[in-house]
Amino acid sequence: MSGMGKAGKKNGLKKFLITLLFIFIGIPLAWIVFSLVGRLSPASLIPDAYICRLRIHNPVRLADGFLEHESLPELINSSALAPAAPYIKTLQESALLKKPLVRFAARGNLEGVLLGDTKNGPATGSGAFAAAWDSGFLSPLLRFLPFFSRFVTVPNLYYVQAGKLSRFEYRLEGGLTFYIGPRRNLLVICNNQKLFEFLISGEQTGQGFTPPLFTVPPKATALNPADYDAVILFSSAYLNSLLAGQDSNIAAVMRNMEFPGIVEGGISVSSGKLDLQLTTGATSQNPALSRLLEQRSPSPDFAERLPAAAQYSTILSAGSLKELYEAAAVFSGPSLGESIDRADRSARLLLGLSIDELLFSWSGREFAVFGMEGRPHPVYAVQITDEPRRQEVFNKAFKTIVLNENVQLNLDGVRIPRIEIPEFLQALLGRWDLRLPSPYYTVQNGFLLISESAETLLSAVRAMQKNDVLPKTAAWRNLAGAQANLSAFSLYYSLDRSLPFFLRGNTAMSSILGVYRQGLLRLGFDRGQVLLSLAVIPGSGRGLALMSGYPLAVGGNPQNRVLGILTGKAGENRILLGKDGAALAINPTDNRVYEMETQGRPWIIPAEGLAVKSAEDAAAWVVSAQGRVTLVNGNMEPVQGFPISTGMKLSSPPAAYGGRLYLSEESNGSGKVQTVDSKGGINSWETIFPAALRSPPSFLSTPKIGRTYAGVYPKSFFDEIWLLDADGNALPNWPAPVPGIAFGSPVLFAHNSRTLAAFITMAGELSVFDENAAPLPPFPLAIDGIFYLQPVFDGTYLWLVSEDGTLYQVSLEGEILHQTIPHFQVKQEGYITVCDTDGDKTPEIFIAGEGNALHGYSRNFRSLEGFPLPVWGQPLFADLNGNGKIECIGVGMDRLLYRWEFR
């Protein structure tokens, strides 16, 4: 019996071990085999014809990088990603991706496509998409999803039984439905029922789809999805639609090139960086372009010489000047050739040198321009391949009467020559309002360096000599990465100083990339293959942040002039804005809009001088073009006794100061000013002007002596400005003559216990007068340019901006510094102001022009981080939240109200 007992125990142990082996080895092995048999790759299921295709090798890696991305808060507040912001925030707060099981399950490959309309197949409709996710070893669980769904309730998620086509449907408001269902190891997601059934049914995929942009399925791809967080494939036509609208020159180049294959893009996201890679094959029927495309781009030497203090740079190394000219002629048309011919004839006549001798004979393949931190003038660099020939050309040019070489300047022991235009020639050109620059130059490490500023040039040379170069900085190493510096064109930018071409438009791409402060763009060629890379980083972390809830749609056609009611209490402040047929007051705490209907487009002006402690107090004037005046509180409710009708036809916008409203009118060819007080009383200024005021009076109070001044400019052939007291009486010795027609009113300011008035004519003559109408030496000064805006005073300097976007800093001692803002025009719709936004007691300068861009600069001409902003007209700078941080509020040309906070 004992033997039989032992045998039974052995058999029981054996069965137990077999059971354990089956549980711990057999079942997992069977599970693995079951999940591997009959597997489909996501790529095999997704149609081969599409507009664009997305490949994600590891969705978890992409999600981790995106959620940890430093710029994510700004990204989800951008207009492009704002609709997805609630879902992203929910994902962040749920911590779903931190669960081990979810991370393990979500690692499978994901393929998705955007399709167009179809022919002879499922009618997908516009905007149809399909996606397939590989569930990997968890694929057996897909069969049990309907069973598990009985125990879990998800809002808007329904299970529909339809035999082999059974599926989940996630139904959203507005009629959008997502169809979700398994096919073997894949989970298929689609937004069209017929397309979903087409993919799930097991029929041959890819038939019947004829999207409008791309019909050739990819055979082999250059980018490995495992090397990137996401890879996107699309057609050259789609690329053209993305880029051509950014710049007319790009559109012209695209028209002269052919892209026979697909365009591949790789995206990598990390906590502090976003990398984009594009590659495609390209050919051209034009010989000049074809030569550039068939070469292999070099590694430009000058990229290793850029000073560390460079804030932006452009390096062109695609070919010699002659080759670049021939390629540029393809899309510039005959105008470029005509310009070169004229320049050649002029050079032969004045210098005895052809363009070929003057430029082509000694220059190499590299050309660059870069700007230094705190320096308003850029430095230009030209590679020298024949230095003796360059010296010969320069010596011959300097022996003519057209050019002189001035070698008298010695800075820090370094002699810096200057190319000068003789004074007689400058005087002659001045008769046509032309003035040629006289730049400084030097030769350093095989490059000719040229700049209008000797100090900037010396700073660049010193940095190169000390090897204090940009490639040694952390920002550059982060942007450049470990890749080879092969490029025919490279663009390094910091939005503190420059705005690259691809951010100038108001597109989804510019909205997203505009979040990043620094970037490095490279374009290269490799024997018919075009390679483009863009790396962007957040920058220093200062700048601005778009506030939650903005941009805000206020409806209608809002004006581009934003003002505010500031009570000192966060909940009682208001943003003032006008639009067709209404005046608006917006509570910045909850974005509630208070509205008062008006006739036409009203003027809204804060009631300066009235005590405003809450939104219930009288706080703003609303004036119609017919002279109807209403004093309102912060909730757009009229104050007792208002509105009143003045019967005036206004000749300029109204102004408010000292508790009164000032209205200008034209009467019998002369100009009058009437005032309205808070009780509805109407009075007139004593002075009658020889012409109507086309701009409202400017005001200044001097508390120490208890006086208030008003400045006006009656626009007429008399060309004079007036300084008056608060009752409209002209002060002794006024008016003062000014030499020419102008726009705006005199700028009044106090400096060193003196009351001064500054005024600039349209032709650029800047005058500063004291209280007795005597010119302040060394004024008047002649400033190059056409001016539509009067200057502003920041406590030390006068700031002006000309029509061509040149920003001027003028000291009261007559020193003038300037910097031109590229692609920027300023006319009567422009605006310039100063505001201390960072609390360092030094105001910053802000300029808006004709386009949708507000620029901001420090006193040393450094562009403020975060600028330019996509608004125009007059913005409001104020602390509306009461948290000590200044905000910027403005209207964009997209008719939306934007609101940023300085960090």
Side-chain angles (χ1 to χ4, degrees), residues 236-237 239-240 243 249-261 263 279-294 327 330-331 523-532:
S236 58
L239 177 66
N240 186 47
L243 296 181
N249 288 334
I250 293 178
V253 171
M254 297 288 284
R255 287 194 297 269
N256 286 277
M257 295 176 63
E258 298 174 1
F259 303 90
V263 181
T279 181
T280 186
T283 61
S284 177
Q285 297 297 321
N286 182 272
L289 280 178
S290 181
R291 280 195 297 271
L292 295 181
L293 292 172
E294 291 172 0
V330 174
F331 56 88
L523 174 66
F525 310 116
D526 189 1
R527 301 176 181 89
Q529 196 78 7
V530 178
L531 311 170
L532 185 146

Side-chain angles (χ1 to χ4, degrees), residues 420-439:
E420 290 187 340
I421 308 298
E423 194 60 38
F424 80 90
L425 184 57
Q426 290 283 27
L428 180 63
L429 294 173
R431 298 182 64 86
W432 292 281
D433 293 328
L434 297 175
R435 186 171 181 84
L436 296 179
S438 297

Side-chain angles (χ1 to χ4, degrees), residues 698-740:
S698 57
F699 296 93
L700 173 71
S701 291
T702 53
K704 289 185 179 180
I705 59 176
R707 298 193 64 175
T708 297
Y709 300 90
V712 299
Y713 168 60
K715 198 168 188 176
S716 70
F717 293 105
F718 292 100
D719 293 333
E720 56 190 18
I721 60 174
W722 296 64
L723 188 65
L724 310 101
D725 61 20
D727 297 320
N729 299 304
L731 298 183
N733 303 319
W734 293 87
V738 291

